[in-house]
Amino acid sequence: SWTSLIQSDEYYRNDDRDIVNFSLNYEYEGWTVQAFVNNLTVEVYIASSSATVEYGTPRTYGLRTRLNF
């Protein structure tokens, strides 16, 4: 992929990367609880660049809850 939509030379080419995300859901009587981890392996990568460089999201984790009624 490319970090710039305008430039297409090798300077703007991104390195290959594998981002691993994980989630686990539990559902019971209308409730859903989800535990998640994004960027499990803490891959450091450049998401985009132009005048500045933007790195990809670091490891994030948390819980989500939802009630269906």
Side-chain angles (χ1 to χ4, degrees):
S1 68
W2 307 93
T3 57
S4 172
L5 296 175
I6 299 168
Q7 303 291 332
S8 62
D9 58 23
E10 288 300 310
Y11 178 79
Y12 292 97
R13 187 172 178 86
N14 281 339
D15 294 333
D16 292 338
R17 59 185 176 262
D18 293 316
I19 307 300
V20 178
N21 298 324
F22 174 80
S23 68
L24 182 65
N25 293 327
Y26 177 75
E27 296 180 11
Y28 181 73
E29 294 185 0
W31 284 93
T32 302
V33 178
Q34 179 188 53
F36 69 91
V37 181
N38 295 328
N39 197 1
L40 185 65
T41 58
V42 193
E43 182 83 20
V44 176
Y45 61 95
I46 295 175
S48 67
S49 67
S50 54
T52 61
V53 173
E54 295 181 27
Y55 287 93
T57 306
R59 178 188 292 160
T60 55
Y61 54 89
L63 288 173
R64 293 184 182 109
T65 59
R66 179 175 47 199
L67 174 61
N68 295 320
F69 55 93

